[in-house]
């Protein structure tokens, strides 16, 4: 294949003239070859649905474990019902549980992709049986067996796209077919689409009078494919000169079958088989809706005087002054600027509904917060809330939506009606068209039976024309929906009851789920003010009774509303994770050294002097305060209050005493960074003595006696510098009541 031929085919595919060459099985939903019986197809469809549901459930279970779960988490998952064999498979997979979840999800999608179908003949199934099969996901072909191989190559042609302002591009169509046949051989099948759109582009109606024109289009395709002639009558219908037969002839088959969902998505024809043209608008290169080129061509040929009024009417469709109660003057008086009104008008012109045109995503936060003085985050759902905030009543909004609903499509339909280019789907017309064109095709055409009534369906079955009943989307029965709603309510009640239970109580019978540990109503914590890259950040913490971190709040000033709200909600998400048992270490590992603005110098924090982002600063501060992560500290030897011990002092340096559980009841663990502050003294020895005395049996001699506090000496302890040194007369030693250090007094000590 030459370079020019390759470029020709690629250009044709890019412009939508032809599709890729695919097998007939990929192109259509009609079952080919041997098909299962109706009972077997229904059984297979049920199996597919249950298999897909099971695989999706397993994927959800595996995703809930995270990429690298710990043994305790896997044990808890087993208690929740995850099979041990599945846990073993995840551990054996090198890339972890996430890859295994993706595998199950992909398998579920693949198993649901090929829809089950079967073939039947007239009288074999009544209407109730047919409907039951469709509800169970089985497509039904009522037709004789097709003498076509499932792997036979075929290509889709959108004939409407061959119509140009100069007429039908016959030479382009012939050249493309010649190249395709040379490449794939004479067994290639041609599947034409866009028949009704072709007539519209040629300025002809698609109704009961257009049978001859449709036959002429198919004969033109046969002439280009097989080298046959095109009579003057057929050429006149298409506005073409007569075409003589070529000396070299071939037999390339034409077929008209319903397309598969994959081909509708990948090829997107202007119209399918005998379906009417419905694409009144195209999406332009700039992403905006514009009048379809097919409609423009049809009106310019049939009624050129209708095109300009239609374009003006479409412009008026975006005019707010045409809506009741929504004039530009009234919107301006409610606070909307000219730019905001222009954005709304543009959105309405693109076909968006009224609620979407007035949404936060169209107007923008700067208009809602700046012009209207309203918080943008309150109007995330749609624009109706914003309209109510502007003073429009529900009735006024409904009237405007009713006036706007389908307005552009109504204008196009009215213009085509006045130009005599209406699109029809009358059952009699479709049945006649299918019977008249059957002789031009390699096999009888197949129609969508949902477009026909009962009489026409029976008529087409008698004539040997195929009917296709597509499977219906699965609908949950009303009884099942009611039971599911009740089950969900019970599950929520059970979760709420579990949350209210004390997690520290004994083992719970049955599966153990993840429970939330709520913070006490009166809780400890601290507030750290700092500046990161010139931006003030206030970090508030809340702690459980044992001093562990349970919640955080992040406040920033002079930031945008969106950024501030995002940080607030991020703090809420982290707090919920901490209360559901996510270790703080996981958050620290995830967010330290993240890099984004604002970043740079940190002031106001005695342990951290620089940060690569706000999140880096916050989680380094939490790691230092609650996890004793000294590797994240920027300074050297510093105490809890930020004051160094001093390089030249004569005090012996010791590690600060860790915060005990008794002290954690009163002191914030984060504020003291897990250590007992220097200005707090806990008399460990005296506490031990009191506890020992409490264990001794009481006697009458002890009644009325009290424990005497020793007289402390004026000298500080040589070990901890505390003024809690007393002299033990029995041993002749000086003992520190704080740290327990004992030494023999020197002569100078007694002076």
């Amino acid at each position: 294949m030459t370079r020019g031929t390759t470029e020709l085919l690629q250009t044709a595919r890019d412009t939508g003239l032809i599709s890729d060459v695919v097998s007939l099985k990929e192109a259509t939903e009609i079952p080919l070859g041997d098909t299962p019986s109706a009972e077997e197809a229904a059984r297979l469809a049920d199996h597919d649905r249950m298999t897909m549901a099971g695989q999706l459930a397993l994927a959800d279970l595996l995703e809930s474990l995270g990429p690298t779960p710990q043994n305790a988490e896997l044990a808890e998952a087993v208690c929740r019902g995850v099979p041990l064999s599945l846990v073993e498979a995840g551990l054996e997979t090198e890339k972890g549980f996430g890859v295994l979840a993706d595998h199950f999800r992909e398998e579920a999608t693949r198993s649901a992709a090929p829809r089950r179908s079967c073939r039947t003949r007239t009288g074999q199934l009544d209407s109730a049986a047919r409907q039951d099969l469709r509800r169970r996901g089985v497509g039904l072909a009522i037709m004789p067996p097709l003498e076509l191989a499932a792997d036979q190559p075929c290509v889709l042609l959108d004939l409407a796209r061959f119509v140009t302002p100069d007429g039908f591009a016959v030479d382009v169509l012939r050249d493309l077919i010649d190249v395709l046949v040379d490449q794939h051989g004479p067994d290639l099948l041609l599947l034409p689409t866009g028949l009704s759109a072709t007539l519209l582009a040629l300025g002809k109606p698609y109704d009961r009078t257009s049978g001859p024109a449709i036959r002429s289009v198919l004969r033109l395709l046969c002439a280009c494919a097989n080298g046959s002639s095109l009579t003057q009558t057929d050429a006149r219908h298409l506005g073409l000169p007569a075409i003589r037969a070529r000396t070299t002839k071939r037999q390339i088959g034409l077929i008209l079958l319903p397309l598969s969902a994959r081909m509708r998505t990948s090829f997107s024809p202007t119209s399918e088989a005998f379906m009417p043209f419905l694409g009144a608008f195209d999406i332009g290169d700039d992403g905006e809706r514009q009048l379809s080129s097919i409609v423009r061509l049809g009106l310019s040929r049939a009624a050129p005087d209708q095109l300009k009024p239609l374009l003006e009417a479409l412009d008026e469709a975006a005019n707010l002054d045409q809506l009741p109660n929504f004039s530009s003057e009234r919107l301006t008086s409610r606070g909307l600027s000219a730019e905001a009104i222009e954005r709304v008008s543009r959105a309405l012109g693109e076909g968006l509904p009224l609620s979407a045109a007035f949404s936060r995503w169209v107007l923008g936060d700067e208009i809602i917060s700046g012009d209207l003085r309203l918080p943008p985050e309150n109007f995330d759902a749609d624009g109706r809330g914003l309209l109510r905030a502007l003073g429009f009543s529900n009735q006024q909004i409904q009237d405007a939506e009713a006036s706007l609903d389908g307005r552009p499509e109504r204008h196009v339909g009215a213009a085509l009606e006045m130009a005599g280019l209406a699109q029809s789907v009358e059952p009699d017309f479709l049945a006649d068209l299918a019977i008249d064109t059957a002789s031009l095709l390699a096999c009888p055409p197949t129609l969508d039976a949902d477009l026909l009534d009962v009489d026409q369906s029976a008529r087409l079955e008698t004539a040997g024309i195929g009917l296709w009943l597509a499977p219906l989307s699965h609908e949950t029965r009303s009884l099942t929906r009611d039971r599911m709603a009740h089950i969900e309510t019970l599950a929520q009640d059970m979760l709420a009851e579990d949350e209210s239970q004390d997690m520290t109580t004994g083992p719970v019978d049955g599966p153990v789920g993840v429970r939330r540990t709520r913070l006490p109503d009166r809780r400890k914590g601290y507030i750290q003010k700092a500046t990161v890259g010139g931006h003030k950040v206030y970090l508030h913490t809340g702690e459980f009774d044992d001093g562990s971190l349970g919640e955080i709040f992040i406040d920033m000033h002079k930031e945008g509303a969106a950024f501030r709200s995002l940080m607030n909600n991020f703090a809420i998400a982290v707090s919920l994770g901490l209360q559901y048992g996510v270790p703080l270490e996981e958050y620290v590992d995830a967010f330290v050294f993240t890099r984004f603005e604002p970043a740079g110098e940190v002031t106001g924090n005695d342990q951290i002097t620089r940060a690569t982002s706000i999140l880096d600063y916050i989680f380094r501060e939490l790691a230092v305060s609650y996890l004793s992560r000294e590797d994240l500290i920027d300074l050297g030897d510093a105490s809890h209050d930020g004051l160094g011990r001093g390089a030249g002092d004569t005090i012996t340096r010791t590690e600060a005493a860790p915060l005990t559980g008794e002290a954690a009841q009163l002191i914030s663990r984060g504020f003291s960074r897990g250590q007992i502050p220097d200005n707090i003294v806990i008399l460990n020895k005296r506490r031990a003595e009191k506890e020992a005395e409490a264990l001794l049996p009481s006697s009458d001699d002890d009644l009325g006696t009290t424990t005497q506090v020793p007289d402390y000496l004026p000298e500080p302890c040589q070990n901890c510098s505390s003024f809690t040194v007393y002299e033990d007369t029995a041993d002749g030693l000086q003992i520190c009541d704080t740290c327990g250090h004992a030494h023999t007094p020197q002569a100078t000590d007694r002076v």
Side-chain angles (χ1 to χ4, degrees):
M1 193 164 53
T2 64
R3 180 178 178 182
T5 301
T6 304
E7 292 179 351
L8 175 64
L9 291 177
Q10 188 60 44
T11 302
R13 295 189 187 100
D14 293 341
T15 55
L17 296 177
I18 62 174
S19 70
D20 294 328
V21 177
V22 297
S23 66
L24 187 59
K25 182 179 181 180
E26 295 178 87
T28 182
E29 291 183 328
I30 299 299
L32 303 170
D34 295 334
T35 60
S37 63
E39 294 79 6
E40 180 66 12
R43 188 190 67 80
L44 292 174
D46 293 340
H47 176 268
D48 291 342
R49 186 169 62 253
M50 288 185 290
T51 300
M52 181 179 67
Q55 289 170 334
L56 290 176
L58 288 176
D60 291 339
L61 277 175
L62 290 170
E63 285 180 348
S64 66
L65 297 177
T68 56
Q70 302 299 317
N71 289 348
E73 296 171 333
L74 292 176
E76 187 177 358
V78 171
C79 293
R80 292 203 310 267
V82 178
L84 283 171
S85 58
L86 195 61
V87 174
E88 182 180 0
L91 294 175
E92 289 291 327
T93 305
E94 294 182 358
K95 296 184 179 180
F97 287 85
V99 174
L100 193 60
D102 294 339
H103 168 75
F104 280 113
R105 200 171 297 281
E106 183 179 351
E107 287 297 319
T109 306
R110 183 181 295 114
S111 64
R115 295 196 289 186
R116 300 293 178 178
S117 58
C118 64
R119 185 182 293 113
T120 185
R121 298 297 298 271
T122 304
Q124 290 182 341
L125 294 172
D126 57 21
S127 58
R130 294 179 183 179
Q131 196 70 2
D132 179 65
L133 284 174
R134 297 180 69 186
R135 287 197 185 98
R136 296 171 69 177
V138 178
L140 195 62
I142 307 174
M143 56 188 301
L146 293 178
E147 297 180 358
L148 297 172
D151 59 350
Q152 192 165 352
C154 69
V155 63
L156 279 65
L157 300 97
D158 194 342
L159 297 178
R161 299 190 185 277
F162 287 90
V163 181
T164 68
D166 297 329
F168 206 102
V170 179
D171 295 337
V172 177
L173 178 61
R174 184 187 294 116
D175 292 343
L176 280 175
I177 294 176
D178 290 343
V179 171
L180 289 169
V181 173
D182 292 341
Q183 183 179 359
H184 298 280
D187 291 337
L188 181 70
L189 294 174
L190 301 180
L191 203 164
T193 63
L195 295 178
S196 60
T198 301
L199 294 191
L200 177 58
L202 293 173
K204 298 180 179 298
Y206 184 69
D207 55 18
R208 61 177 60 253
T209 66
S210 59
I214 288 290
R215 287 193 295 271
S216 298
V217 172
L218 294 178
R219 289 193 183 103
L220 171 63
L221 185 57
C222 290
C224 295
N226 300 323
S228 58
S229 62
L230 184 68
T231 65
Q232 290 185 351
T233 302
D234 292 328
R236 186 170 59 254
H237 285 144
L238 305 178
L240 298 171
I243 298 176
R244 295 183 178 181
R246 288 189 284 185
T247 55
T248 57
K249 295 186 178 181
R250 58 198 177 197
Q251 290 296 323
I252 306 300
L254 304 184
I255 56 174
L256 279 175
L257 300 174
L259 300 182
S260 64
R262 173 182 175 274
M263 292 307 299
R264 291 193 198 99
T265 303
S266 60
F267 184 53
S268 300
T270 50
S271 61
E272 180 186 347
F274 297 116
M275 292 288 290
F277 173 75
L278 300 176
F281 295 93
D282 292 334
I283 303 299
D285 296 335
D286 54 358
E288 295 186 2
R289 288 207 323 173
Q290 56 189 15
L291 186 63
S292 170
S293 58
I294 303 295
V295 176
R296 291 175 182 268
L297 284 174
L299 290 178
S300 62
R301 284 191 169 93
D305 56 328
Q306 294 291 330
L307 183 57
K308 184 177 180 181
L310 174 59
L311 295 176
E312 293 176 351
L314 293 178
D315 290 337
E316 285 296 320
N319 189 353
L320 287 169
D321 293 328
Q322 301 297 317
L323 291 178
N325 306 311
F326 278 84
S327 64
S328 301
E329 181 179 354
R330 176 169 294 186
L331 292 174
T332 302
S333 66
R334 302 290 173 92
L336 286 176
S337 62
E339 180 184 359
I341 294 175
E342 182 182 355
R343 292 184 185 183
V344 171
S345 299
R346 190 185 308 116
L348 293 177
E350 294 173 0
L352 293 179
L354 186 70
S355 60
F358 280 92
S359 68
R360 175 185 182 184
W361 317 117
V362 171
L363 290 176
D365 288 355
E366 68 279 2
I367 289 180
I368 297 178
S369 61
D371 296 350
L372 302 178
R373 301 291 192 272
L374 295 172
E377 57 271 14
N378 292 349
F379 308 103
D380 285 345
D382 58 31
R384 294 184 181 180
L386 179 62
L387 290 174
R388 286 192 291 267
L390 293 178
F392 292 98
S393 65
N394 289 332
Q395 187 61 46
Q396 290 175 329
I397 297 173
Q398 292 175 5
D399 292 343
E401 288 177 336
S403 174
L404 188 64
D405 185 28
R407 182 192 291 181
E409 285 75 10
R410 291 201 304 268
H411 287 310
V412 175
L416 294 178
E417 190 77 27
M418 294 182 64
L421 299 177
Q423 302 282 298
S424 173
V425 288
E426 295 180 2
D428 290 339
F429 160 61
L430 295 178
D432 293 341
L433 192 59
I435 294 173
D436 291 344
T437 58
S439 60
L440 301 174
L441 306 174
C443 64
T446 302
L447 272 72
D448 187 349
D450 289 331
L451 300 176
L452 307 170
D453 55 29
V454 177
D455 294 337
Q456 295 305 328
S457 297
R459 176 189 169 196
L460 290 176
E461 288 185 54
T462 304
I465 305 298
L467 299 177
W468 171 245
L469 294 166
L472 300 174
S473 59
H474 178 70
E475 294 184 0
T476 307
R477 292 177 299 175
S478 59
L479 178 59
T480 304
R481 286 197 302 269
D482 294 341
R483 290 193 63 183
M484 286 299 299
H486 189 211
I487 291 171
E488 291 177 3
T489 302
L490 288 176
Q492 292 174 358
D493 294 342
M494 291 178 181
L495 286 176
E497 183 178 353
D498 288 342
E499 289 178 358
S500 64
Q501 293 178 355
D502 186 5
M503 292 185 61
T504 61
T505 56
V508 181
D509 295 334
V512 179
V514 178
R515 297 187 181 94
R516 179 181 179 184
T517 305
R518 297 188 178 274
L519 288 161
D521 294 334
R522 187 177 180 87
R523 65 202 68 163
K524 308 182 305 300
Y526 72 96
I527 301 175
Q528 173 70 60
K529 173 187 174 184
T531 302
V532 180
H535 294 254
K536 288 184 181 180
V537 182
Y538 290 84
L539 174 63
H540 303 242
T541 68
E543 300 175 4
F544 293 106
D545 287 334
D546 62 356
S548 60
L549 181 64
E551 67 178 356
I552 64 171
F553 296 95
I554 304 171
D555 291 331
M556 300 188 67
H557 294 270
K558 297 184 179 179
E559 305 295 340
F563 185 77
R564 187 164 58 248
S565 300
L566 187 63
M567 293 300 292
N568 289 338
N569 286 278
F570 172 78
I572 293 173
V574 171
S575 301
L576 287 173
L578 292 170
Q579 294 167 31
Y580 273 100
V582 178
L584 178 58
E585 292 89 340
E586 297 292 335
Y587 286 117
V588 172
D589 293 341
F591 294 113
V592 293
F593 303 123
T594 52
R595 190 175 299 275
F596 59 86
E597 295 297 328
E601 182 180 2
V602 176
T603 60
N605 192 298
D606 57 317
Q607 302 284 303
I608 303 169
T609 59
R610 296 194 65 83
T612 58
S613 67
I614 295 291
L615 295 187
D616 173 51
Y617 159 71
I618 289 172
F619 285 97
R620 286 175 66 189
E621 161 62 27
L622 294 175
V624 170
S625 299
Y626 287 96
L627 303 178
S628 300
R629 288 285 297 273
E630 296 183 358
D631 56 311
L632 299 177
I633 297 177
D634 292 335
L635 297 179
D637 184 18
S639 63
H640 76 282
D641 55 5
L643 299 178
R645 296 292 187 182
D649 61 17
T650 59
I651 301 175
T652 303
R653 286 164 177 76
T654 60
E655 295 293 334
L659 191 69
T660 63
E662 182 183 12
Q665 297 292 326
L666 301 174
I667 305 170
S668 168
R669 184 182 296 273
F671 181 77
S672 63
R673 295 195 171 118
Q675 300 173 348
I676 296 179
D678 295 347
N679 57 351
I680 293 180
V681 176
I682 297 180
L683 304 180
N684 296 314
K685 182 177 180 181
R686 300 305 301 167
R687 183 192 305 111
E689 292 176 353
K690 290 180 180 179
E691 291 176 353
E693 292 173 357
L695 296 176
L696 295 176
S698 61
S699 63
D700 296 338
D701 296 338
D702 295 332
L703 296 177
T705 61
T706 58
T707 303
Q708 299 295 325
V709 178
D711 295 329
Y712 294 129
L713 300 177
E715 295 83 6
C717 176
Q718 297 179 4
N719 183 51
C720 67
S721 302
S722 299
F723 286 89
T724 56
V725 179
Y726 67 95
E727 186 171 1
D728 190 341
T729 57
D731 298 333
L733 298 176
Q734 290 185 355
I735 303 174
C736 179
D737 207 2
T738 298
C739 65
H741 177 72
H743 69 280
T744 303
Q746 302 296 326
T748 55
D749 295 335
R750 299 179 182 276
V751 178

